[in-house]
mmCIF file of all heavy atoms in Angstrom:
data_model
loop_
_atom_site.group_PDB
_atom_site.id
_atom_site.type_symbol
_atom_site.label_atom_id
_atom_site.label_comp_id
_atom_site.label_asym_id
_atom_site.label_seq_id
_atom_site.Cartn_x
_atom_site.Cartn_y
_atom_site.Cartn_z
ATOM 1 N N ASN Z 87 -12.489 -3.544 4.420
ATOM 2 C CA ASN Z 87 -12.960 -4.530 5.339
ATOM 3 C C ASN Z 87 -12.310 -4.356 6.731
ATOM 4 O O ASN Z 87 -12.934 -4.449 7.785
ATOM 5 C CB ASN Z 87 -12.719 -5.918 4.809
ATOM 6 C CG ASN Z 87 -13.808 -6.416 3.906
ATOM 7 O OD1 ASN Z 87 -14.962 -6.151 4.095
ATOM 8 N ND2 ASN Z 87 -13.438 -7.099 2.833
ATOM 9 N N ASN Z 88 -10.996 -4.144 6.692
ATOM 10 C CA ASN Z 88 -10.282 -3.909 7.977
ATOM 11 C C ASN Z 88 -10.712 -2.679 8.692
ATOM 12 O O ASN Z 88 -10.745 -2.598 9.956
ATOM 13 C CB ASN Z 88 -8.750 -3.866 7.712
ATOM 14 C CG ASN Z 88 -8.203 -5.255 7.325
ATOM 15 O OD1 ASN Z 88 -8.804 -6.282 7.605
ATOM 16 N ND2 ASN Z 88 -7.065 -5.275 6.616
ATOM 17 N N TYR Z 89 -11.007 -1.594 7.929
ATOM 18 C CA TYR Z 89 -11.516 -0.362 8.469
ATOM 19 C C TYR Z 89 -12.830 -0.625 9.185
ATOM 20 O O TYR Z 89 -13.037 -0.153 10.317
ATOM 21 C CB TYR Z 89 -11.689 0.669 7.354
ATOM 22 C CG TYR Z 89 -12.202 2.023 7.882
ATOM 23 C CD1 TYR Z 89 -11.295 2.983 8.332
ATOM 24 C CD2 TYR Z 89 -13.555 2.344 7.868
ATOM 25 C CE1 TYR Z 89 -11.737 4.208 8.817
ATOM 26 C CE2 TYR Z 89 -14.016 3.568 8.289
ATOM 27 C CZ TYR Z 89 -13.128 4.482 8.765
ATOM 28 O OH TYR Z 89 -13.588 5.728 9.215
ATOM 29 N N VAL Z 90 -13.683 -1.368 8.540
ATOM 30 C CA VAL Z 90 -14.998 -1.673 9.156
ATOM 31 C C VAL Z 90 -14.825 -2.463 10.433
ATOM 32 O O VAL Z 90 -15.470 -2.163 11.436
ATOM 33 C CB VAL Z 90 -15.865 -2.488 8.139
ATOM 34 C CG1 VAL Z 90 -17.094 -2.990 8.800
ATOM 35 C CG2 VAL Z 90 -16.212 -1.601 6.922
ATOM 36 N N LEU Z 91 -13.919 -3.443 10.405
ATOM 37 C CA LEU Z 91 -13.694 -4.258 11.611
ATOM 38 C C LEU Z 91 -13.161 -3.353 12.828
ATOM 39 O O LEU Z 91 -13.504 -3.573 13.948
ATOM 40 C CB LEU Z 91 -12.623 -5.288 11.322
ATOM 41 C CG LEU Z 91 -13.135 -6.527 10.566
ATOM 42 C CD1 LEU Z 91 -11.940 -7.427 10.195
ATOM 43 C CD2 LEU Z 91 -14.107 -7.336 11.357
ATOM 44 N N GLN Z 92 -12.397 -2.378 12.418
ATOM 45 C CA GLN Z 92 -11.813 -1.494 13.484
ATOM 46 C C GLN Z 92 -12.789 -0.559 14.106
ATOM 47 O O GLN Z 92 -12.724 -0.285 15.321
ATOM 48 C CB GLN Z 92 -10.636 -0.682 12.880
ATOM 49 C CG GLN Z 92 -9.900 0.113 13.870
ATOM 50 C CD GLN Z 92 -8.682 0.794 13.244
ATOM 51 O OE1 GLN Z 92 -8.395 0.690 12.061
ATOM 52 N NE2 GLN Z 92 -7.954 1.569 14.070
ATOM 53 N N TYR Z 93 -13.792 -0.076 13.293
ATOM 54 C CA TYR Z 93 -14.661 0.960 13.819
ATOM 55 C C TYR Z 93 -16.162 0.497 13.970
ATOM 56 O O TYR Z 93 -16.983 1.331 14.365
ATOM 57 C CB TYR Z 93 -14.557 2.189 12.947
ATOM 58 C CG TYR Z 93 -13.194 2.814 12.962
ATOM 59 C CD1 TYR Z 93 -12.351 2.696 11.885
ATOM 60 C CD2 TYR Z 93 -12.755 3.487 14.080
ATOM 61 C CE1 TYR Z 93 -11.090 3.248 11.950
ATOM 62 C CE2 TYR Z 93 -11.505 4.071 14.138
ATOM 63 C CZ TYR Z 93 -10.665 3.920 13.060
ATOM 64 O OH TYR Z 93 -9.420 4.479 13.137
ATOM 65 N N LYS Z 94 -16.471 -0.698 13.681
ATOM 66 C CA LYS Z 94 -17.873 -1.129 13.733
ATOM 67 C C LYS Z 94 -18.473 -1.034 15.162
ATOM 68 O O LYS Z 94 -19.603 -0.634 15.313
ATOM 69 C CB LYS Z 94 -18.014 -2.559 13.230
ATOM 70 C CG LYS Z 94 -17.325 -3.610 14.101
ATOM 71 C CD LYS Z 94 -17.466 -5.004 13.503
ATOM 72 C CE LYS Z 94 -16.706 -6.057 14.294
ATOM 73 N NZ LYS Z 94 -17.262 -6.220 15.667
ATOM 74 N N ASP Z 95 -17.656 -1.331 16.172
ATOM 75 C CA ASP Z 95 -18.179 -1.252 17.557
ATOM 76 C C ASP Z 95 -18.491 0.175 17.962
ATOM 77 O O ASP Z 95 -19.480 0.451 18.666
ATOM 78 C CB ASP Z 95 -17.183 -1.874 18.503
ATOM 79 C CG ASP Z 95 -17.086 -3.384 18.391
ATOM 80 O OD1 ASP Z 95 -18.085 -4.006 17.967
ATOM 81 O OD2 ASP Z 95 -15.997 -3.942 18.654
ATOM 82 N N ILE Z 96 -17.649 1.134 17.500
ATOM 83 C CA ILE Z 96 -17.866 2.534 17.828
ATOM 84 C C ILE Z 96 -19.151 2.980 17.089
ATOM 85 O O ILE Z 96 -19.984 3.701 17.646
ATOM 86 C CB ILE Z 96 -16.672 3.416 17.365
ATOM 87 C CG1 ILE Z 96 -15.446 3.057 18.183
ATOM 88 C CG2 ILE Z 96 -17.018 4.886 17.469
ATOM 89 C CD1 ILE Z 96 -14.208 3.830 17.720
ATOM 90 N N ALA Z 97 -19.311 2.562 15.809
ATOM 91 C CA ALA Z 97 -20.485 2.917 15.053
ATOM 92 C C ALA Z 97 -21.769 2.380 15.685
ATOM 93 O O ALA Z 97 -22.756 3.104 15.777
ATOM 94 C CB ALA Z 97 -20.375 2.390 13.616
#
Side-chain angles (χ1 to χ4, degrees):
N87 276 322
N88 290 338
Y89 180 86
V90 171
L91 284 172
Q92 185 174 358
Y93 295 107
K94 64 182 179 63
D95 291 331
I96 295 176

